Amino acid sequence: MELPKKPFKKRFVYLDHGAATPLDPAVFFEMKPWLTTCFGNPSALYGFGVQAKKHVEYCRAAVSKVLESQPDTIFFTSGGTESNNAAILGVARAHKANGKHIITTRIEHSAVLEPISQLEKEGFEISYLSVDNVGNIDIEEFKRKLRKDTILVSIMYINNEIGVINPIAEIGKEILKWRKQNETSYPYFHTDACQAVSTQDLHVEKLHVDLLSLNGSKIYGPKGTGVLYKRRGVEISPLLYGGGQEAGARGGTENVAGIAGMAKALVMAELDKAEYDSVRIIRNYFWNCIKKSIPDVTLNGPDVEDNTRAPQNLNVSFLEVDAETLLLYLDEYGIMCSKGSACETDKAGSHVLLAIGLDEEHMRGAIRFTLGKNTSKRDIEYVMKYLPALVQVLRNNKT
Ligand SMILES: *Cc1c(COP(=O)(O)O)cnc(C)c1O
């Protein structure tokens, strides 16, 4: 069997918004002055510096408003990875005298799992919550794992590979109850919310979180930008010591343009939340098309009708297909998607798909499509012109 004919006019269909989003022109517009004419160092005492400093503080206030917190709880970072590291290593190092037990899940992003595994080497004890076959954690298991020496709980808001949404507010409530019963201020609660901004409630009081990580490059903002929310009164050791910027929490000249872009992207994402109803509809349409026209496919993660699945995520296993080969063929037709997560470091396959119990065959054929706010039905129709044929070719060519 032959490959489908290349289109006369190639269309680019980008279905990897879970890895990176395009920069929104309105975000770029906000960033531009700080990259060009208004280049002053925010620490400088003359007008150019004061102007930059003022803008950083304006952005801090804008971000805090979205989280419904106070400006002094907002710290600008270089992305989700730094925010997670700053939260996890920061709490562990500042509070290890009071306990060395941490609870997390098996399906966290590597930017959480890796600093935690570093802490394990430094003598911390880690409890990993297991998940069921679609990725849900068990609150009862979580409650049983809480101990007097637990200083930190880190549980992601939305999983980047299979789109499962964790009940952050419910977990937060359980932690509050535990603290009250045990008359302690521990454990602190951190959530990696990098994948949650576009669709979920980020009101930190309602979520009962002490620390929350955000990232700019997944919400139509610039790469290399992020935010760490840290509740007042929660002490953390800094990752970067330097000139005392960010209230001493992060040394280094502020990335003013990045901060301007991050803040604008976050404010816009908050306003655009309603648009994700249509993303859900298109995602479900896509899954229905795949099910109808391609045999031997399975969905990874919660059902598409389930409200514990993020509306933009579709993770599918094509049996008897090597995901990486399929991905590269799709690219030839202008269709971009990923296998597992973009920052996959697991050699043995995705640790998330492993945690939900997939066998080798289902892992090998797993593709992640993540839609964006501009993904259209026409994009999906274009994909469906080629995807079934490519899957079939790959299956037939298997010897
Ligand atoms: C992308 C991502 C990160 C890492 O963010 P960077 O800005 O690339 O450092 C962390 N956690 C989750 C869930 C992510 O999706």
Short mmCIF file of all heavy atoms in Angstrom, two decimals, residues 169-229:
data_model
loop_
_atom_site.label_atom_id
_atom_site.label_comp_id
_atom_site.label_asym_id
_atom_site.label_seq_id
_atom_site.Cartn_x
_atom_site.Cartn_y
_atom_site.Cartn_z
N ALA A 169 -8.73 21.43 44.97
CA ALA A 169 -9.42 22.06 46.11
C ALA A 169 -9.77 21.02 47.18
O ALA A 169 -9.66 21.28 48.38
CB ALA A 169 -10.68 22.77 45.62
N GLU A 170 -10.15 19.84 46.73
CA GLU A 170 -10.52 18.77 47.67
C GLU A 170 -9.29 18.30 48.46
O GLU A 170 -9.36 18.11 49.67
CB GLU A 170 -11.12 17.61 46.86
CG GLU A 170 -11.85 16.58 47.69
CD GLU A 170 -12.34 15.41 46.82
OE1 GLU A 170 -12.50 15.60 45.59
OE2 GLU A 170 -12.54 14.32 47.38
N ILE A 171 -8.18 18.15 47.77
CA ILE A 171 -6.94 17.77 48.45
C ILE A 171 -6.53 18.87 49.42
O ILE A 171 -6.14 18.60 50.57
CB ILE A 171 -5.81 17.52 47.41
CG1 ILE A 171 -6.20 16.38 46.46
CG2 ILE A 171 -4.48 17.21 48.10
CD1 ILE A 171 -5.36 16.32 45.19
N GLY A 172 -6.66 20.11 48.97
CA GLY A 172 -6.33 21.25 49.83
C GLY A 172 -7.14 21.25 51.11
O GLY A 172 -6.61 21.52 52.20
N LYS A 173 -8.42 20.92 50.99
CA LYS A 173 -9.29 20.86 52.18
C LYS A 173 -8.84 19.78 53.14
O LYS A 173 -8.84 19.97 54.36
CB LYS A 173 -10.74 20.60 51.75
CG LYS A 173 -11.51 21.87 51.56
CD LYS A 173 -13.00 21.58 51.37
CE LYS A 173 -13.58 22.66 50.45
NZ LYS A 173 -14.59 22.16 49.53
N GLU A 174 -8.45 18.63 52.59
CA GLU A 174 -7.98 17.53 53.44
C GLU A 174 -6.72 17.94 54.19
O GLU A 174 -6.53 17.59 55.35
CB GLU A 174 -7.69 16.28 52.60
CG GLU A 174 -8.93 15.60 52.04
CD GLU A 174 -9.92 15.14 53.12
OE1 GLU A 174 -9.48 14.93 54.27
OE2 GLU A 174 -11.11 15.02 52.80
N ILE A 175 -5.86 18.70 53.52
CA ILE A 175 -4.62 19.15 54.16
C ILE A 175 -4.94 20.14 55.29
O ILE A 175 -4.39 20.04 56.39
CB ILE A 175 -3.65 19.75 53.12
CG1 ILE A 175 -3.16 18.63 52.18
CG2 ILE A 175 -2.48 20.47 53.79
CD1 ILE A 175 -2.31 19.09 51.03
N LEU A 176 -5.89 21.04 55.03
CA LEU A 176 -6.30 21.99 56.08
C LEU A 176 -6.82 21.24 57.30
O LEU A 176 -6.50 21.56 58.45
CB LEU A 176 -7.40 22.92 55.57
CG LEU A 176 -7.02 24.01 54.58
CD1 LEU A 176 -8.21 24.95 54.36
CD2 LEU A 176 -5.83 24.81 55.06
N LYS A 177 -7.64 20.21 57.04
CA LYS A 177 -8.22 19.42 58.14
C LYS A 177 -7.12 18.75 58.96
O LYS A 177 -7.13 18.77 60.18
CB LYS A 177 -9.14 18.33 57.54
CG LYS A 177 -10.57 18.40 58.05
CD LYS A 177 -11.34 17.11 57.82
CE LYS A 177 -11.89 16.99 56.42
NZ LYS A 177 -12.55 15.71 56.12
N TRP A 178 -6.16 18.17 58.26
CA TRP A 178 -5.05 17.48 58.89
C TRP A 178 -4.25 18.44 59.79
O TRP A 178 -3.90 18.14 60.92
CB TRP A 178 -4.13 16.87 57.83
CG TRP A 178 -2.79 16.47 58.32
CD1 TRP A 178 -1.67 17.25 58.36
CD2 TRP A 178 -2.40 15.21 58.87
NE1 TRP A 178 -0.62 16.57 58.88
CE2 TRP A 178 -1.05 15.29 59.21
CE3 TRP A 178 -3.09 14.00 59.11
CZ2 TRP A 178 -0.34 14.24 59.77
CZ3 TRP A 178 -2.38 12.94 59.66
CH2 TRP A 178 -1.03 13.06 59.99
N ARG A 179 -3.99 19.63 59.23
CA ARG A 179 -3.21 20.61 60.00
C ARG A 179 -3.94 21.00 61.28
O ARG A 179 -3.33 21.14 62.33
CB ARG A 179 -3.00 21.87 59.16
CG ARG A 179 -2.02 21.72 58.03
CD ARG A 179 -1.89 23.09 57.37
NE ARG A 179 -1.23 23.02 56.09
CZ ARG A 179 -1.42 23.89 55.11
NH1 ARG A 179 -2.28 24.89 55.26
NH2 ARG A 179 -0.77 23.78 53.97
N LYS A 180 -5.24 21.17 61.16
CA LYS A 180 -6.04 21.59 62.31
C LYS A 180 -6.02 20.49 63.37
O LYS A 180 -5.76 20.75 64.55
CB LYS A 180 -7.47 21.86 61.84
CG LYS A 180 -8.15 22.95 62.64
CD LYS A 180 -9.38 23.43 61.93
CE LYS A 180 -10.24 24.27 62.89
NZ LYS A 180 -11.57 24.49 62.31
N GLN A 181 -6.29 19.26 62.91
CA GLN A 181 -6.33 18.13 63.84
C GLN A 181 -4.99 17.94 64.55
O GLN A 181 -4.94 17.56 65.71
CB GLN A 181 -6.67 16.84 63.09
CG GLN A 181 -8.15 16.62 62.90
CD GLN A 181 -8.44 15.58 61.82
OE1 GLN A 181 -7.54 14.94 61.28
NE2 GLN A 181 -9.72 15.42 61.51
N ASN A 182 -3.91 18.19 63.82
CA ASN A 182 -2.58 17.92 64.37
C ASN A 182 -1.87 19.18 64.87
O ASN A 182 -0.71 19.13 65.26
CB ASN A 182 -1.72 17.21 63.33
CG ASN A 182 -2.24 15.81 63.04
OD1 ASN A 182 -1.93 14.87 63.75
ND2 ASN A 182 -3.07 15.69 62.03
N GLU A 183 -2.58 20.29 64.85
CA GLU A 183 -2.05 21.58 65.31
C GLU A 183 -0.65 21.86 64.75
O GLU A 183 0.31 22.05 65.49
CB GLU A 183 -2.05 21.63 66.84
CG GLU A 183 -3.47 21.63 67.39
CD GLU A 183 -3.51 21.55 68.92
OE1 GLU A 183 -2.44 21.59 69.54
OE2 GLU A 183 -4.61 21.44 69.45
N THR A 184 -0.60 21.83 63.43
CA THR A 184 0.68 22.07 62.76
C THR A 184 0.44 22.94 61.53
O THR A 184 -0.71 23.06 61.08
CB THR A 184 1.32 20.72 62.32
OG1 THR A 184 2.37 20.97 61.38
CG2 THR A 184 0.31 19.80 61.67
N SER A 185 1.48 23.55 61.01
CA SER A 185 1.32 24.31 59.77
C SER A 185 1.77 23.48 58.56
O SER A 185 1.77 23.95 57.44
CB SER A 185 2.08 25.63 59.84
OG SER A 185 3.38 25.40 60.32
N TYR A 186 2.15 22.22 58.81
CA TYR A 186 2.58 21.32 57.73
C TYR A 186 1.50 20.28 57.44
O TYR A 186 0.71 19.97 58.31
CB TYR A 186 3.88 20.60 58.13
CG TYR A 186 5.02 21.54 58.38
CD1 TYR A 186 5.48 21.77 59.68
CD2 TYR A 186 5.65 22.19 57.31
CE1 TYR A 186 6.53 22.63 59.91
CE2 TYR A 186 6.71 23.06 57.56
CZ TYR A 186 7.14 23.27 58.85
OH TYR A 186 8.18 24.13 59.08
N PRO A 187 1.53 19.69 56.25
CA PRO A 187 2.45 19.96 55.14
C PRO A 187 2.02 21.19 54.34
O PRO A 187 0.85 21.56 54.32
CB PRO A 187 2.31 18.70 54.28
CG PRO A 187 0.91 18.25 54.51
CD PRO A 187 0.58 18.60 55.93
N TYR A 188 2.99 21.78 53.64
CA TYR A 188 2.66 22.79 52.66
C TYR A 188 2.17 22.08 51.40
O TYR A 188 2.56 20.94 51.13
CB TYR A 188 3.88 23.66 52.35
CG TYR A 188 4.27 24.54 53.50
CD1 TYR A 188 5.60 24.65 53.91
CD2 TYR A 188 3.30 25.29 54.18
CE1 TYR A 188 5.94 25.47 54.97
CE2 TYR A 188 3.64 26.10 55.24
CZ TYR A 188 4.96 26.19 55.64
OH TYR A 188 5.30 26.99 56.68
N PHE A 189 1.32 22.79 50.64
CA PHE A 189 0.71 22.18 49.46
C PHE A 189 1.12 22.95 48.20
O PHE A 189 0.84 24.13 48.08
CB PHE A 189 -0.81 22.18 49.64
CG PHE A 189 -1.58 21.50 48.52
CD1 PHE A 189 -0.98 20.53 47.72
CD2 PHE A 189 -2.92 21.81 48.30
CE1 PHE A 189 -1.69 19.90 46.70
CE2 PHE A 189 -3.65 21.18 47.29
CZ PHE A 189 -3.02 20.23 46.49
N HIS A 190 1.80 22.25 47.32
CA HIS A 190 2.22 22.83 46.04
C HIS A 190 1.50 22.15 44.89
O HIS A 190 1.31 20.94 44.90
CB HIS A 190 3.75 22.65 45.84
CG HIS A 190 4.20 22.92 44.43
ND1 HIS A 190 4.62 21.92 43.58
CD2 HIS A 190 4.26 24.08 43.72
CE1 HIS A 190 4.95 22.46 42.40
NE2 HIS A 190 4.74 23.76 42.47
N THR A 191 1.08 22.95 43.90
CA THR A 191 0.54 22.33 42.68
C THR A 191 1.22 22.93 41.45
O THR A 191 1.45 24.14 41.37
CB THR A 191 -1.00 22.47 42.58
OG1 THR A 191 -1.46 21.69 41.46
CG2 THR A 191 -1.45 23.91 42.37
N ASP A 192 1.55 22.05 40.53
CA ASP A 192 2.08 22.45 39.22
C ASP A 192 0.87 22.68 38.32
O ASP A 192 0.22 21.74 37.89
CB ASP A 192 2.97 21.31 38.69
CG ASP A 192 3.47 21.58 37.28
OD1 ASP A 192 3.03 22.57 36.66
OD2 ASP A 192 4.30 20.78 36.79
N ALA A 193 0.57 23.96 38.08
CA ALA A 193 -0.64 24.31 37.33
C ALA A 193 -0.32 24.71 35.89
O ALA A 193 -1.15 25.36 35.23
CB ALA A 193 -1.38 25.42 38.06
N CYS A 194 0.84 24.32 35.39
CA CYS A 194 1.27 24.76 34.05
C CYS A 194 0.27 24.41 32.95
O CYS A 194 0.16 25.14 31.97
CB CYS A 194 2.62 24.15 33.70
SG CYS A 194 3.97 24.89 34.61
N GLN A 195 -0.44 23.29 33.10
CA GLN A 195 -1.37 22.88 32.04
C GLN A 195 -2.81 23.32 32.33
O GLN A 195 -3.72 23.00 31.58
CB GLN A 195 -1.33 21.36 31.86
CG GLN A 195 -0.01 20.82 31.34
CD GLN A 195 0.20 21.05 29.85
OE1 GLN A 195 -0.74 21.32 29.10
NE2 GLN A 195 1.44 20.96 29.42
N ALA A 196 -2.99 24.00 33.45
CA ALA A 196 -4.36 24.24 33.92
C ALA A 196 -4.87 25.65 33.65
O ALA A 196 -6.07 25.91 33.77
CB ALA A 196 -4.44 23.95 35.42
N VAL A 197 -3.97 26.56 33.28
CA VAL A 197 -4.32 27.98 33.22
C VAL A 197 -5.50 28.27 32.30
O VAL A 197 -6.40 29.03 32.66
CB VAL A 197 -3.09 28.80 32.75
CG1 VAL A 197 -3.44 30.26 32.62
CG2 VAL A 197 -1.93 28.59 33.72
N SER A 198 -5.51 27.63 31.14
CA SER A 198 -6.53 27.98 30.13
C SER A 198 -7.93 27.54 30.51
O SER A 198 -8.90 28.06 29.96
CB SER A 198 -6.17 27.33 28.79
OG SER A 198 -4.88 27.71 28.42
N THR A 199 -8.04 26.57 31.41
CA THR A 199 -9.37 26.01 31.64
C THR A 199 -9.81 25.96 33.10
O THR A 199 -11.00 25.82 33.37
CB THR A 199 -9.44 24.56 31.10
OG1 THR A 199 -8.42 23.78 31.73
CG2 THR A 199 -9.24 24.53 29.59
N GLN A 200 -8.89 26.05 34.04
CA GLN A 200 -9.27 25.78 35.44
C GLN A 200 -9.28 27.04 36.31
O GLN A 200 -8.65 28.04 35.99
CB GLN A 200 -8.31 24.76 36.07
CG GLN A 200 -8.23 23.45 35.31
CD GLN A 200 -9.56 22.75 35.18
OE1 GLN A 200 -10.23 22.50 36.18
NE2 GLN A 200 -9.97 22.44 33.97
N ASP A 201 -9.96 26.92 37.42
CA ASP A 201 -10.01 27.97 38.42
C ASP A 201 -8.63 28.10 39.07
O ASP A 201 -8.05 27.12 39.52
CB ASP A 201 -11.06 27.57 39.48
CG ASP A 201 -11.32 28.70 40.46
OD1 ASP A 201 -10.71 29.78 40.32
OD2 ASP A 201 -12.15 28.50 41.36
N LEU A 202 -8.10 29.32 39.08
CA LEU A 202 -6.76 29.54 39.66
C LEU A 202 -6.84 30.34 40.95
O LEU A 202 -5.85 30.89 41.41
CB LEU A 202 -5.87 30.27 38.65
CG LEU A 202 -5.53 29.53 37.36
CD1 LEU A 202 -4.71 30.43 36.45
CD2 LEU A 202 -4.76 28.24 37.64
N HIS A 203 -8.01 30.41 41.53
CA HIS A 203 -8.21 31.18 42.76
C HIS A 203 -7.53 30.44 43.91
O HIS A 203 -8.03 29.43 44.41
CB HIS A 203 -9.72 31.29 42.97
CG HIS A 203 -10.11 32.17 44.10
ND1 HIS A 203 -11.40 32.52 44.34
CD2 HIS A 203 -9.37 32.75 45.06
CE1 HIS A 203 -11.44 33.30 45.41
NE2 HIS A 203 -10.23 33.44 45.87
N VAL A 204 -6.38 30.95 44.35
CA VAL A 204 -5.54 30.18 45.28
C VAL A 204 -6.20 29.94 46.64
O VAL A 204 -5.92 28.94 47.30
CB VAL A 204 -4.15 30.83 45.47
CG1 VAL A 204 -3.32 30.65 44.21
CG2 VAL A 204 -4.25 32.30 45.86
N GLU A 205 -7.10 30.85 47.05
CA GLU A 205 -7.78 30.64 48.33
C GLU A 205 -8.76 29.48 48.24
O GLU A 205 -8.87 28.67 49.15
CB GLU A 205 -8.51 31.91 48.79
CG GLU A 205 -7.59 33.08 49.10
CD GLU A 205 -6.51 32.73 50.13
OE1 GLU A 205 -6.79 31.94 51.05
OE2 GLU A 205 -5.39 33.25 49.98
N LYS A 206 -9.46 29.40 47.12
CA LYS A 206 -10.42 28.31 46.94
C LYS A 206 -9.70 26.97 46.80
O LYS A 206 -10.24 25.93 47.18
CB LYS A 206 -11.27 28.56 45.68
CG LYS A 206 -12.43 29.49 45.92
CD LYS A 206 -13.40 29.38 44.74
CE LYS A 206 -14.06 30.72 44.48
NZ LYS A 206 -14.35 30.94 43.06
N LEU A 207 -8.50 27.01 46.23
CA LEU A 207 -7.75 25.76 46.03
C LEU A 207 -7.02 25.33 47.30
O LEU A 207 -6.58 24.19 47.41
CB LEU A 207 -6.74 25.94 44.89
CG LEU A 207 -7.33 26.21 43.50
CD1 LEU A 207 -6.21 26.52 42.51
CD2 LEU A 207 -8.15 25.01 43.02
N HIS A 208 -6.86 26.26 48.23
CA HIS A 208 -6.12 26.00 49.47
C HIS A 208 -4.68 25.55 49.19
O HIS A 208 -4.18 24.65 49.85
CB HIS A 208 -6.83 24.95 50.34
CG HIS A 208 -8.28 25.23 50.55
ND1 HIS A 208 -8.73 26.33 51.24
CD2 HIS A 208 -9.38 24.56 50.14
CE1 HIS A 208 -10.05 26.32 51.25
NE2 HIS A 208 -10.48 25.27 50.59
N VAL A 209 -4.06 26.18 48.21
CA VAL A 209 -2.66 25.84 47.94
C VAL A 209 -1.74 26.88 48.58
O VAL A 209 -2.14 28.04 48.77
CB VAL A 209 -2.36 25.75 46.42
CG1 VAL A 209 -3.10 24.58 45.79
CG2 VAL A 209 -2.72 27.06 45.70
N ASP A 210 -0.53 26.46 48.91
CA ASP A 210 0.46 27.38 49.47
C ASP A 210 1.44 27.84 48.40
O ASP A 210 2.04 28.90 48.52
CB ASP A 210 1.23 26.69 50.60
CG ASP A 210 0.29 26.21 51.67
OD1 ASP A 210 -0.30 27.06 52.34
OD2 ASP A 210 0.11 24.97 51.81
N LEU A 211 1.62 26.98 47.40
CA LEU A 211 2.55 27.28 46.30
C LEU A 211 1.94 26.78 45.00
O LEU A 211 1.32 25.70 44.98
CB LEU A 211 3.89 26.58 46.53
CG LEU A 211 4.61 26.93 47.84
CD1 LEU A 211 5.01 25.67 48.58
CD2 LEU A 211 5.81 27.81 47.58
N LEU A 212 2.08 27.58 43.94
CA LEU A 212 1.48 27.19 42.66
C LEU A 212 2.41 27.65 41.53
O LEU A 212 2.88 28.79 41.54
CB LEU A 212 0.10 27.83 42.56
CG LEU A 212 -0.71 27.68 41.29
CD1 LEU A 212 -2.18 27.38 41.63
CD2 LEU A 212 -0.65 28.94 40.45
N SER A 213 2.68 26.74 40.59
CA SER A 213 3.58 27.04 39.48
C SER A 213 2.81 27.31 38.20
O SER A 213 1.87 26.57 37.88
CB SER A 213 4.51 25.85 39.21
OG SER A 213 5.25 25.52 40.35
N LEU A 214 3.23 28.34 37.48
CA LEU A 214 2.63 28.67 36.19
C LEU A 214 3.73 28.85 35.16
O LEU A 214 4.88 29.09 35.52
CB LEU A 214 1.84 29.98 36.28
CG LEU A 214 0.67 30.06 37.24
CD1 LEU A 214 0.12 31.47 37.25
CD2 LEU A 214 -0.40 29.06 36.84
N ASN A 215 3.34 28.79 33.91
CA ASN A 215 4.31 28.91 32.84
C ASN A 215 3.72 29.75 31.73
O ASN A 215 2.51 29.71 31.50
CB ASN A 215 4.66 27.46 32.46
CG ASN A 215 4.91 27.22 31.03
OD1 ASN A 215 4.18 27.68 30.18
ND2 ASN A 215 5.94 26.46 30.75
N GLY A 216 4.52 30.56 31.06
CA GLY A 216 4.01 31.46 30.03
C GLY A 216 3.87 30.81 28.66
O GLY A 216 2.96 31.12 27.90
N SER A 217 4.76 29.86 28.37
CA SER A 217 4.85 29.36 26.99
C SER A 217 3.75 28.38 26.62
O SER A 217 3.65 27.97 25.47
CB SER A 217 6.21 28.72 26.75
OG SER A 217 6.37 27.58 27.56
N LYS A 218 2.89 28.00 27.57
CA LYS A 218 1.77 27.10 27.25
C LYS A 218 0.46 27.89 27.16
O LYS A 218 -0.60 27.32 26.96
CB LYS A 218 1.63 26.03 28.34
CG LYS A 218 2.94 25.35 28.76
CD LYS A 218 3.16 24.03 28.07
CE LYS A 218 4.53 23.46 28.34
NZ LYS A 218 4.67 22.78 29.61
N ILE A 219 0.56 29.20 27.37
CA ILE A 219 -0.65 30.04 27.35
C ILE A 219 -0.50 31.23 26.40
O ILE A 219 -0.95 32.33 26.70
CB ILE A 219 -1.03 30.50 28.78
CG1 ILE A 219 0.13 31.26 29.46
CG2 ILE A 219 -1.44 29.31 29.65
CD1 ILE A 219 -0.27 31.99 30.75
N TYR A 220 0.17 31.00 25.27
CA TYR A 220 0.33 32.02 24.24
C TYR A 220 1.23 33.16 24.70
O TYR A 220 1.15 34.27 24.18
CB TYR A 220 -1.05 32.53 23.76
CG TYR A 220 -1.90 31.39 23.22
CD1 TYR A 220 -2.74 30.65 24.08
CD2 TYR A 220 -1.82 31.02 21.90
CE1 TYR A 220 -3.47 29.57 23.61
CE2 TYR A 220 -2.56 29.95 21.41
CZ TYR A 220 -3.38 29.23 22.27
OH TYR A 220 -4.10 28.17 21.80
N GLY A 221 2.07 32.87 25.68
CA GLY A 221 3.07 33.82 26.13
C GLY A 221 4.45 33.39 25.66
O GLY A 221 4.60 32.41 24.93
N PRO A 222 5.49 34.13 26.09
CA PRO A 222 6.85 33.81 25.65
C PRO A 222 7.44 32.61 26.39
O PRO A 222 7.09 32.35 27.55
CB PRO A 222 7.63 35.08 25.99
CG PRO A 222 6.86 35.73 27.09
CD PRO A 222 5.42 35.36 26.89
N LYS A 223 8.32 31.90 25.73
CA LYS A 223 9.06 30.80 26.38
C LYS A 223 10.01 31.38 27.42
O LYS A 223 10.41 32.54 27.32
CB LYS A 223 9.83 30.00 25.36
CG LYS A 223 8.92 29.17 24.48
CD LYS A 223 9.70 28.41 23.42
CE LYS A 223 8.73 27.76 22.45
NZ LYS A 223 7.89 28.76 21.73
N GLY A 224 10.37 30.57 28.39
CA GLY A 224 11.30 31.05 29.40
C GLY A 224 10.68 32.02 30.39
O GLY A 224 11.39 32.85 30.95
N THR A 225 9.37 31.92 30.56
CA THR A 225 8.72 32.78 31.56
C THR A 225 7.81 31.94 32.45
O THR A 225 7.19 30.98 31.99
CB THR A 225 7.87 33.89 30.92
OG1 THR A 225 6.82 33.30 30.13
CG2 THR A 225 8.72 34.80 30.04
N GLY A 226 7.74 32.31 33.69
CA GLY A 226 6.88 31.58 34.62
C GLY A 226 6.60 32.41 35.84
O GLY A 226 7.13 33.51 36.02
N VAL A 227 5.73 31.85 36.68
CA VAL A 227 5.35 32.50 37.93
C VAL A 227 5.34 31.46 39.03
O VAL A 227 4.95 30.31 38.80
CB VAL A 227 3.94 33.14 37.80
CG1 VAL A 227 3.30 33.35 39.17
CG2 VAL A 227 4.01 34.45 37.04
N LEU A 228 5.82 31.84 40.19
CA LEU A 228 5.58 31.03 41.38
C LEU A 228 4.73 31.86 42.33
O LEU A 228 5.10 32.98 42.69
CB LEU A 228 6.90 30.65 42.07
CG LEU A 228 6.72 29.87 43.39
CD1 LEU A 228 6.05 28.52 43.16
CD2 LEU A 228 8.05 29.69 44.11
N TYR A 229 3.58 31.31 42.70
CA TYR A 229 2.79 31.91 43.78
C TYR A 229 3.26 31.28 45.08
O TYR A 229 3.42 30.06 45.17
CB TYR A 229 1.29 31.63 43.56
CG TYR A 229 0.50 31.75 44.85
CD1 TYR A 229 0.12 32.99 45.35
CD2 TYR A 229 0.16 30.61 45.59
CE1 TYR A 229 -0.56 33.10 46.55
CE2 TYR A 229 -0.53 30.72 46.79
CZ TYR A 229 -0.89 31.96 47.26
OH TYR A 229 -1.56 32.05 48.46
#
